[in-house]
Amino acid sequence: MRLARVLLALFLMTPALADAQIDPQAIKPGRDPKQLLDSAYTKKIKEYTTETFFLSPLVDYMPAAKGVPTPMATLGDIAGAPTKLPYSHEVYDYMRLLAKSVPKRVRTWNIGKTEEGRDHIAVAIGSDALMAKYEENKAKLAKLGDPRTINFDDAQAAKLVQEAVPVYYITGTIHSTEAGSPTALMELAYRLAVDESPYVKNIRDHVITVITPVVEVDGRDKMVDLYNWKVAHPGDVPPNLSYWGKYVAHDNNRDAMGMTLALSRNVLNAYLDTKAIVLHDLHESVAYLYDNTIGDGPYNSWLDPILTNEWQMIGWNNVQEMTRLGMPGVFAFGSFDTWSPGYLMFMAATHNGISRLYETFGNGGTAETVERTLGAAETARTWFKQNPPLPRVRWSLRNNNNYQQTGLLVSLAYMANNRTTFLQNFWQKSKRSINKPKMEGPAAYVLPANDPRLGAQADLLKVMQYQHVEISRATAAFTVQVPVRRAAGGRGGRGGDSAVTPATPTAPVLPQTEAREFPAGSYLIRMDQPYSRIADALLDYQYWAPNDPQRNPYDDTGWTFPEGFGTAAIRVTDLKALDVPVERVTGTITAPGGVTGSGSVFAINHNSDNALVALRYRFKSADFQAAEEPFDASGQKFNRGSFIIRGVARADLDKATKEMGLKAVALAAAPSVKTHPLRAARVAIMHTWATTQTEGWWRQAFDVVGVPFDYISTQDIAKTANLNAKWDVIVFGPGIGGQAVIDGLPMYRNAMPFKNTPETPNLPTWSQTDDQRPGLGWNGLEMLRTFVKNGGVLITANQSADFAVQFGLTNGVSSNSAAARSVVGSYLRSRIVDGTSPIAYGMKDSLALYSDDGGSFSVSNTRGGGRGGGGGRGGPAARETGRGTSDERDQVQGFPQLEARFLLIPAPTVQPWEYGPVTDDMMRSPLNIIPPDQRPRVIARWGDLNGLLVSGLLAGGGDIAQRPVVVDVPLEKGHVVLFANNPIWRGSTLGSYFFVFNAILNHDNLNAGRKIDAK
Ligand SMILES: [Zn+2]
């Protein structure tokens, strides 16, 4: 019966059915001879293409259409001309002009704004018939995308699959130095709108193409400024593109998990709003067209294999069709693993669509035609690259545009010809996402209402909302079976302070479960929803086997968001979780806040919720004190470091804490606990002109959380007479270290201005220089040292921490590198060593910290940094060869047995995160012994080897475990704070931000709680 209905549906097909009978393979690429040719444009295509085999019959001509301007109208030349990179507004002008000229086929709209206030746009193109039914088609796709709306009715879905057409979303130039796609997309839009060739008409009639021609809009306009500067200054070295977006550069394509950037949120919103089933992102760093749709292993574990099989179909078809067209250097497969879901294209993969990415060959931010040479690895003929790129060619922007357009047209044609297959898959993937609880599981994740860090929980839920994940809240307490939490040493006990995973994984076992009750108000992320996969991917744990055949992870191997946020999300497979009475949650999620109790003194527990630092800055003139010990008040427990506030009107504090999700308790009198002031420190974030990206994530976090700062460069240090008069804290984020910080860029040639001028009007006013080349300089280093000696605090991480160590700012510390590739962007367990340090106030013990490469420190009580306990491991000294058993002493024959007074006093055990005591022997030559109050103070260390790995890859780890990771190093009156982890990374480590904020708020009291060695 059901089959009959499907057949009937097929029979009664809409117009699409009629031409579905045409053999798609019969539609050959090539122009319609009946359509007029734009011969001037066509001539230029051939002129700017450097070899005939870099053209295809799809783009070797330009059709003319009466009343419809080609890109020439805006560009003054053709797309891909060697003289022109258009600004975003020029690209938009053309797209809008096209829409005005062919209104029945093309429409444009704004999809949001960038951080710097520029527009993001989308352009949709389809036949008159398709565009007339755009909304109707969207409604059909929406039903296929959410099977709940049609009761999982396969027959109705089959009908919709026949009636609807797919939407294919293409995104250009997310990477600003990969600058060719906007012109390719302008021309592609024109072709899709007017070309009457059977090949393009078939696409237009069966696919709606949506284009966002410029994804990184802020970076695009800066890039074009610098390209124009280069043209105006022939022979000069052009300035570096130091900033793309406001915060990050290349990493804008690693934000599809944290969704911290406007471009990520705007593109995902547009992708989901148009009901697209493909997101195809254009890049330009591999010759000549690398379709990395197929990628390499390991594949991301949370994706439906239906999708990963689609990758194979689409990718190999792409290679096959372009091979037919005679274009060399087109390949799929290759080195890119698809493990991390952080890429823009992955928004489709994690939302039941199809992710695609092209690397074509760009000339690096110029329109000029240049000679390009390739290495042997790139030109070798391999099984997946049968027609490899050539060792030496002249390469033009037009060549690049030819490849981009040809690849896209081939892809769109494949989508048109196989639309029912892909729409059927879309339906099935959506259905399987909703069926997740009953199939692979889990049923839900529970975020308990009694989590000690509800601010972090709200932040995590905000990420879920950006991802369009449905969130529910329990209206009553409930009990479900959860995995048993094990003590240290057990397997997989997670989400609690005892959470530990063993260094050597055991064979998988079914987890034991226990009943656990969760209070009313707990949040549930139910997995019976269309976008369950992205929620599962972000909330679950990752394990990258050290012996995985993929030796070069392409990006981070772990990302477990609840661990990085320092909050709990419990994975529940018990289907009873779906019976819990809940309400759907929409709108802004904030932790509960406000003032309770009575009195004029207010206490707020320090639980390292990031809103705490923002509160301090919001009431800058109020008196904030930090409690140096835990205390009880009003029947509540307050952690060490908790805030005691005076001089704020209750109503004002109530309003602020409600907004910010903080709970304040009014007290009649301040608790009798030792306190010191928490000041709204004057902060500078310092960058180099060599790289600004990794510190960009720090800047962004400060802006998002609400910590004001001045933004300065290393060049500003030497120019500032008295650093201490301006700032209390200088934050030197990660990115670059070594001599390059001092030297800057090579001074051989011309000055490289990075400045907002009429010549470069899109460069930012918030970070400028007349010359990018000079670095900190030796004078700057001395001034930085003086700043710290006079009481300033310098905060450093990774490379900048190594810099501080290397250039003598941190006596008694050395940096350790772990063995290569033992850690690649993993989360590792840490332990607090000195909880009395203000830097540790409110921090969760056993927090998971992000580690790029397994770096750590060693500490010592002697100058020069040498190894302390970390170097002296290995147990008791082995005895020499001689009489007796292994634990006995040798005995010289004919000499008395040695009395105790002749024997060595056993050395105390020194842990890898410690240094040993100063001995009398050492004091005989005390020159290098650091005075007790100037010795490094270890705040946190990496966890024990057993349980060190939280998420991602850890191979070995003996050279990481237990070593210091957060160290406070006094330097006369001030401090240098060192992080071997990166506490602020891609919006995914909110749980470790407060190490940094604590150092800022307590900048003039970092010695609080310190135990000074006796000698
Ligand atoms: Zn790229």
Side-chain angles (χ1 to χ4, degrees), residues 124-135:
I125 308 148
S127 68
D128 296 14
L130 292 190
M131 294 306 280
K133 293 186 170 179
Y134 181 85
E135 292 299 331

Side-chain angles (χ1 to χ4, degrees), residues 150-173:
I150 53 170
N151 244 333
F152 300 86
D153 183 345
D154 285 321
Q156 196 183 340
K159 187 162 170 286
L160 290 166
V161 162
Q162 295 299 328
E163 291 171 3
V165 301
V167 176
Y168 195 109
Y169 189 15
I170 302 165
T171 50
T173 195

